[in-house]
Amino acid sequence: MRILVTGGAGFIGSHLVDRLMIEGHEVLVADNFYTGNKENLLSWLNHPRFELLRHDITQPLFVEVDQVYHLACPASPVHYQYNPVKTIKTNVLGTMNMLGLAKRVKARFLLASTSEVYGDPEIHPQTEDYRGSVNPIGIRSCYDEGKRVAETLSFDYHRQNNVDIRVARIFNTYGPRMIFNDGRVVSNFVVQALQGQPLTVYGEGRQTRSFCYVNELVDGLIRLMNGSFIGPVNLGNPGEFTILELAHLVLELTGSSSEITYRTLPKDDPRQRQPDITRAREILGWEPKISLREGLALMIDEFAQRLGQSGTGKNLLV
């Protein structure tokens, strides 16, 4: 097939592109390189089945494709809060443009939504039927509410225009190619530990998250796209860890002597986040297998290489 991946130069997008290229598809990436990086796609730049287009999806795009994986949007608070108006325009206008494209060429469309649609959840773990607890005027709402509107648009295009949609709600994902300074907790801790800096924990570190290794997340996206279920479907690892547990595990795997420092918890930061993946198990036959310890070891090695270090040695003992 000919497949468009918006945001394909980014962290998750580039891993998805790898899979699609290996499977023999023709892949077109559209990315404005706000958080994406051309280096993530270096192995494909001269491949005859690959195209890279510098494009901002808040502007219409006219291409012929069979499938659209719509991943374009900054996903870390540091980046999406830097220009919140641009973030919500990307989620609303960008999603409308990509749905319009899918409508015109009769392509199947997958929206990469987020666990942030659940806000600071009042039920635990979160099922797809839960409608969320989001602050519509908070500093995170450009992303949270933007993704909620993107879901609304997707289902309305499906109901009104018969666009063939899929909606994935992605929980915390980690792995190689994450941006060092994107403010997300896993990349923060790994960089700080490898550089001997204090690990920054916000609040008391008792808030919980669930961490899915990127390769397994990509497998879930592909299964959802090529299955018959519209969604929404939670994609994430149901293993739940406190932020302090994560910090101690990173210190152990890197062999770092860094200390842990505490700072004020940001506003609207969710207290708990854990996916109920019953729907993904039953409908997609998908369930993560890579443990946090195993995935972190792989990520730490790649981060060490990019930082010019030879690796820690200790992180290989998984």
Side-chain angles (χ1 to χ4, degrees), residues 81-110:
Q81 290 173 11
Y82 176 75
N83 190 340
V85 172
K86 178 69 172 181
T87 297
I88 201 160
K89 284 174 70 176
T90 299
N91 278 318
V92 178
L93 297 179
T95 301
M96 286 182 68
N97 286 331
M98 294 306 104
L99 283 163
L101 185 156
K103 175 187 171 185
R104 286 192 303 272
V105 302
K106 294 181 169 54
R108 182 173 291 180
F109 173 91
L110 184 145

Side-chain angles (χ1 to χ4, degrees), residues 204-309:
E204 297 178 351
R206 295 178 183 172
Q207 64 272 39
T208 67
R209 296 292 184 272
S210 301
F211 303 100
C212 185
Y213 191 67
V214 63
N215 289 2
E216 296 194 301
L217 185 277
V218 164
D219 181 58
L221 291 175
I222 292 173
R223 288 185 186 218
L224 178 59
M225 173 66 95
N226 295 302
S228 59
F229 187 71
I230 290 174
V233 176
N234 288 338
L235 293 179
N237 193 317
E240 185 182 17
F241 297 85
T242 68
I243 298 304
L244 264 183
E245 287 174 330
L246 173 66
H248 288 298
L249 183 55
V250 168
L251 290 174
E252 176 193 339
L253 292 175
T254 57
S256 173
S257 57
S258 295
E259 297 181 348
I260 295 176
T261 60
Y262 295 86
R263 294 186 184 172
T264 304
L265 192 68
K267 186 172 175 56
D268 295 331
D269 192 66
R271 295 160 296 173
Q272 292 179 305
R273 191 60 64 72
Q274 181 191 21
D276 183 318
I277 62 167
T278 302
R279 185 175 288 183
R281 285 194 188 104
E282 294 178 350
I283 295 173
L284 305 180
W286 178 85
E287 183 175 12
K289 299 289 195 300
I290 297 175
S291 70
L292 182 59
R293 174 179 289 270
E294 292 169 324
L296 278 176
L298 297 170
M299 177 179 173
I300 289 166
D301 275 347
E302 193 262 356
F303 268 46
Q305 291 173 17
R306 279 198 282 154
L307 288 167
Q309 301 178 13

Side-chain angles (χ1 to χ4, degrees), residues 1-23:
M1 287 184 288
R2 180 164 164 80
I3 300 174
L4 169 65
V5 181
T6 72
F11 163 49
I12 294 175
S14 63
H15 285 279
L16 173 61
V17 168
D18 288 348
R19 275 286 300 277
L20 296 175
M21 289 295 295
I22 290 167
E23 290 177 2

